[in-house]
Amino acid sequence: PATLAVLYTASTNWGNNVGSYSLGWSADGEQLYVGTSTIESRSIFIRRWSSGGRGFSTDMPAGGVTVSALAPLADGSIAFATLDSIVGVYDPKDRLSWELGQQAGRFYGAPEALRVSENGMSVAFAYDANNVSSSTLYFDVGERRLGASAPRNVPLRAPATAGGTLNFYNQWRDTRGALQAGNVRLNMGTFEVSRSLAIAPDGKSFVVGTGGNTRLYAENGRQRWAVPTYEAVAVNYSGDGKLVIA
């Protein structure tokens, strides 16, 4: 009779901070696939095991963010989708037979590029984190205008990540449960990953962007508010400290 006993375990020796997110089988059940995910800025992949998970494994590149879905095709191919808007198909010989790349900006990985004016009415950001210098755009809130030309005579301030009594030693970048203000560990979800951070101009508060929220803390680490935000990959204050931009 059928039981729930473990029959075998597929090898998952893919390194630290990498985990499985999606699973799939080939149409004939002979190939086992897993889509990986990571909290770091690194390439991720789809792993295929032969013999239904008992055999050797092969890794196939799948962008830089979580493989969110896998679907078998009748000819033995496997289709996949990622959270950074990539859709593709690998054929039965593990060759990428079709791919549709990102049709929107890639903001993850360039939090320092989010620069804001004194009053928060002018914002600069990079839409391609892999090529910040040539992909910066500027948004004028008052005129509701987006363009490639920087505003004239309007200084823009990059996010400050150290100053005064606050120094996070870069622990805010793609980490889970590592952020502290002094000896106070910040209140976050168990699996919440911090992506970006900015200290207020007066040094009395700071804001953290995470995989699920934008959180503002007092200098002593006490949380003042949190707003649900999908992947707040860049945050900053206006120069006067009155606005938070994510």
Side-chain angles (χ1 to χ4, degrees):
T3 71
L4 295 177
V6 175
L7 297 178
Y8 54 89
T9 303
S11 172
T12 56
N13 58 337
W14 41 47
N16 295 330
N17 294 325
V18 176
S20 58
Y21 190 91
S22 51
L23 290 166
W25 296 89
S26 60
D28 60 9
E30 288 298 312
Q31 313 295 324
L32 173 64
Y33 294 88
V34 64
T36 58
S37 178
T38 179
I39 66 173
E40 300 175 346
S41 179
R42 59 190 289 185
S43 298
I44 48 90
F45 52 88
I46 299 165
R47 178 165 291 185
R48 177 187 63 79
W49 292 273
S50 59
S51 302
R54 297 179 176 88
F56 293 103
S57 64
T58 301
D59 293 342
M60 297 166 279
V65 181
T66 300
V67 179
S68 55
L70 294 167
L73 303 181
D75 66 353
S77 299
I78 190 80
F80 69 93
T82 75
L83 291 183
D84 54 346
S85 304
I86 296 174
V87 179
V89 175
Y90 276 100
D91 69 16
K93 295 184 177 181
D94 305 328
R95 297 175 300 197
L96 186 63
S97 59
W98 179 82
E99 182 182 52
L100 178 63
Q102 293 174 319
Q103 304 298 300
R106 180 182 176 85
F107 305 106
Y108 173 70
E112 299 87 352
L114 180 63
R115 296 179 290 127
V116 185
S117 65
E118 177 70 14
N119 62 2
M121 297 298 284
S122 293
V123 178
F125 63 94
Y127 64 86
D128 183 357
N130 295 320
N131 193 10
V132 173
S133 60
S134 62
S135 69
T136 299
L137 292 177
Y138 302 88
F139 183 63
D140 186 302
V141 178
E143 297 186 9
R144 297 178 179 270
R145 184 181 69 246
L146 179 68
S149 299
R152 294 183 179 180
N153 303 317
V154 180
L156 300 176
R157 177 181 180 273
T161 57
T165 63
L166 296 171
N167 195 330
F168 298 95
Y169 302 101
N170 215 34
Q171 290 181 343
W172 52 268
R173 192 186 294 269
D174 298 330
T175 58
R176 180 187 294 157
L179 268 177
Q180 295 186 181
N183 295 321
V184 178
R185 188 172 297 277
L186 301 186
N187 178 35
M188 289 186 185
T190 304
F191 301 104
E192 196 168 352
V193 179
S194 59
R195 299 295 192 194
S196 53
L197 181 144
I199 298 171
D202 63 4
K204 300 299 182 182
S205 66
F206 59 96
V207 63
V208 179
T210 77
N213 294 279
T214 299
R215 298 180 180 272
L216 188 135
Y217 299 88
E219 185 181 12
N220 62 5
R222 180 177 58 83
Q223 181 173 287
R224 291 181 176 173
W225 53 255
V227 177
T229 315
Y230 176 72
E231 292 290 355
V233 295
V235 293
N236 203 351
Y237 284 84
S238 58
D240 58 14
K242 295 180 179 181
L243 298 174
V244 169
I245 294 90

